[in-house]
Amino acid sequence: MLNRALAENHYTRLLLEVNNYEGAKEHAKLARQFAAESKSPRADISAAIAEGLTEVFAGQTDVGITRLTNTLDRARTLKNHHTGSFGCIGQGIRVCRQT
């Protein structure tokens, strides 16, 4: 289930890059479901990143940036996982500045 949660995160991000918000939203939900099933902190962080980015790209910037920032704080407890989380927050902030 961990690998599936990670895959859904990546697919969500790809969909966001091509402006497919509805598809990204569905895959972010799947990432959350697989993360819950796996009970893995890494999967949970990955799902939260997918959700946060989807919220930012959909225009819910305050909610999305808050989720991404909180996720970064949680990711710091996992070795080597916070670097990717930091990059996602940067991506979310860049999107906010463009709107």
Side-chain angles (χ1 to χ4, degrees):
M1 291 295 127
L2 167 63
N3 288 335
R4 186 67 193 267
L6 298 175
E8 293 297 338
N9 168 293
H10 292 297
Y11 196 55
T12 298
R13 292 168 68 178
L14 288 171
L15 290 169
L16 289 172
E17 288 296 321
V18 296
N19 298 323
N20 184 342
Y21 305 119
E22 290 304 314
K25 187 176 176 181
E26 289 300 314
H27 286 277
K29 285 180 186 178
L30 287 172
R32 171 57 55 209
Q33 290 173 358
F34 289 120
E37 289 177 31
S38 76
K39 298 180 180 155
S40 163
R42 184 174 176 203
D44 185 57
I45 288 168
S46 183
I49 289 170
E51 292 169 329
L53 286 174
T54 301
E55 290 161 347
V56 169
F57 275 76
Q60 299 173 311
T61 54
D62 291 341
V63 175
I65 293 296
T66 299
R67 185 185 306 270
L68 291 170
T69 304
N70 292 339
T71 302
L72 176 61
D73 291 339
R74 285 186 296 147
R76 287 187 174 130
T77 64
L78 292 178
K79 189 175 183 176
N80 297 328
H81 197 69
H82 68 280
T83 305
S85 301
F86 187 72
C88 290
I89 291 172
Q91 182 182 11
I93 290 171
R94 282 190 298 279
V95 169
C96 290
R97 288 184 179 161
Q98 292 174 356
T99 57

